[in-house]
Amino acid sequence: MMKKVFLVLLAVVAVNVLSAFLFFRVDLTAEKRYTLSGATQNLLAGLDDDVHVNVYLTGDLPPGFKRLENAVRETLDEFEARAGQNVTYRFIDIDAIGNAEAKAKQIEQLSQKGLLPTNLFANEGGKRTEKIIFPGAIVTYKGQEVAVPLLKGNKAASPEEQLNQSYEGVEYAMASAIRRLTQPAGSRRRVGLLARTNVPPSRFSDLLASVQENYDLFFVDLSKPGPIANLDVLLVPKPDQPFSDDDLFKVDQFVVNGGRALFFVDGQRVDSVGAEGTFAQPLNLNLDELFFGWGIRVNRDVVKDLSCNVIPLNVGNVGDKPNIQLVPWRFYPVINNFGRGTGAGSHPIVRNLDVVWTRFVSSMDTVRAVGAGNSSIRKTPLLLTSPYTQIRQAPVVVGYNEARQQPDPRTYNGGVRMVGCLLEGRFRSLFANQILPTDPRARGFRAEATAESRVVVCSDGDLVVNDVNYQNQTPYPLGFDRFTRQTFANKDFALNAIDYLADPEGVIEARNRQVTLRPLDKVRLQNERTGWQLLNLIGPVALVGLIGVVWQWNRKRKYGK
């Protein structure tokens, strides 16, 4: 007997000694919800200093928010386990601050740092109560800090689904913040801005400022001799000037040589809109042949959608004053239909994305790619309209008076139209078999890629154009509508696309996480509540008693003789 006890104690000591040198964790969940992506693990393993996280989502919360709080805690536990002492965290309950002045000061500081409060309403004792919470965190590294909103997801979804989408996005949100703070100089990806537009720089200010937070940004001048080189991603926002053949050659060779590109282009031009009307004119950027070779076409049309944003319009007079109301403007489709990747879930660029706002968008079609090499290019739709669309071929009259008219749904039968697409594969040059040996461009020319590349094309240049406060010329955030005061997910889409193009196996991989909601059957819960309560109360006691009876019976059988 003493020998068995000694062996058990020896095994326990051995396990404890080994645990000090050998670390492992086992994730037994079906979705691997506690397993960090490879990029996140590499990011944490490379930390050279302390990262501290203050989380403000805690306290007396409803079950859905409590589940999100637990997800944050579990994720940070995994971060701490992977990074050792380099990651620490603390949960702070704002509501627990007793001093009213100190509490108000803390709330003001968090708002200034970029954490926006959320109001929770509940009924307590027959009275409606309101509570302010901050579903977010502040990540600090070497004296620098960044705010991380944790309540994300598609606002058109149910509250339960939105909280679940926030749950799925915790790792990506935290890893992105840490990457932003800890990227050493010289190791950041390089993004080139190809600006061929007359749009004022202030209209791109929010996008470019956001890009510079994670990437080194450079301006690309195609008029200079030499190829486009030393860039990871080429960003082309809302061009309104045609590309020359030399320009096309440089862009073509950049993609064929493994570069990635992101285009936000228009199929037509609408300079201004008047009540009487103006024309949406076809816009020729000389990109058609290049896109067609890749298997995509931006059409010369305007998409009208019953799922749309609103504009202020004078709908009449009240006395001697104009009656200004917000009315649906079907030339401003809102996109809440996103394409799927190779698996069952949405592509990581658009997974759990909120609604995207477009203005005078054109439709896109996939076509059979030109050239043997381009026939294998994979096409993934990213942005799709609602089924209730109407396609108007340019040139077409666009006037505000149309917003006054009640639309006939029967005429909006254009179906779902693609307005954003991802192209992946080995691209073949548009200039293959066209460059003669005597051509100066023949030196270094590549007819077909040796490695895969990626291109995203969106048929709305305004998708990445921010609005401006015309009183003081201050730019609004990208996607912010100054009339409805709503912020759409335009910036999230653009940054996700750049993340994926620059490094598809980077932290963007964490956006693939999928946690399935498994709600209880409310009908069975109502009918069988008492039975399950009794089972949970009496079952464990009965099980322990049964084990005791079997144990005693076995002892009597073994030692009774």
Side-chain angles (χ1 to χ4, degrees), residues 256-327:
V256 171
N257 280 281
R260 281 79 77 186
L262 175 56
F263 293 86
F264 293 95
V265 298
D266 294 313
Q268 32 63 36
R269 184 201 305 270
V270 181
D271 293 322
S272 61
V273 181
E276 299 299 326
T278 187
F279 280 97
Q281 300 282 359
L283 178 61
N284 182 17
L285 298 172
N286 199 28
L287 290 171
D288 294 350
E289 194 174 357
L290 182 66
F291 289 167
F292 201 86
W294 294 342
I296 204 79
R297 179 175 60 208
V298 177
N299 298 313
R300 304 287 193 270
D301 58 25
V302 184
V303 179
K304 296 176 64 179
D305 197 332
L306 290 183
S307 175
C308 59
N309 201 9
V310 296
I311 57 170
L313 194 66
N314 182 10
V315 297
N317 291 329
V318 178
D320 59 346
K321 295 182 180 180
N323 182 15
I324 307 296
Q325 294 186 13
L326 294 177
V327 296

Side-chain angles (χ1 to χ4, degrees), residues 52-104:
H52 181 72
V53 184
N54 282 335
V55 184
Y56 297 92
L57 181 65
T58 190
D60 184 18
L61 301 172
F65 282 92
K66 202 68 181 177
R67 180 170 174 261
L68 181 58
E69 177 194 346
N70 293 335
V72 176
R73 194 183 303 274
E74 292 160 357
T75 300
L76 291 175
D77 282 339
E78 289 294 319
F79 278 28
E80 196 176 49
R82 294 294 176 181
Q85 301 299 319
N86 284 334
V87 172
T88 57
Y89 68 88
R90 181 175 59 152
F91 279 75
I92 300 173
D93 184 4
I94 298 293
D95 206 45
I97 300 177
N99 187 295
E101 184 177 346
K103 182 177 179 180

Side-chain angles (χ1 to χ4, degrees), residues 31 107 150 152 173 187 204 259 286 303 319 352 369 373 378 383 444 459-461 513 523 541 551:
E31 302 101 340
I107 291 175
L150 296 172
K152 304 286 284 186
S187 68
F204 296 112
N286 199 28
V303 179
N352 294 337
R378 303 182 301 278
L383 303 179
S459 56
D460 179 28
R513 183 177 301 280
V523 176
V541 177
W551 177 268

Side-chain angles (χ1 to χ4, degrees), residues 176 179-180 183 188-189 210-216:
S176 296
R179 180 192 61 176
R180 174 177 165 185
Q183 283 187 115
R188 297 182 6 144
R189 303 278 180 166
S210 301
V211 170
Q212 287 180 298
E213 291 175 351
N214 293 311
Y215 303 94
D216 291 332

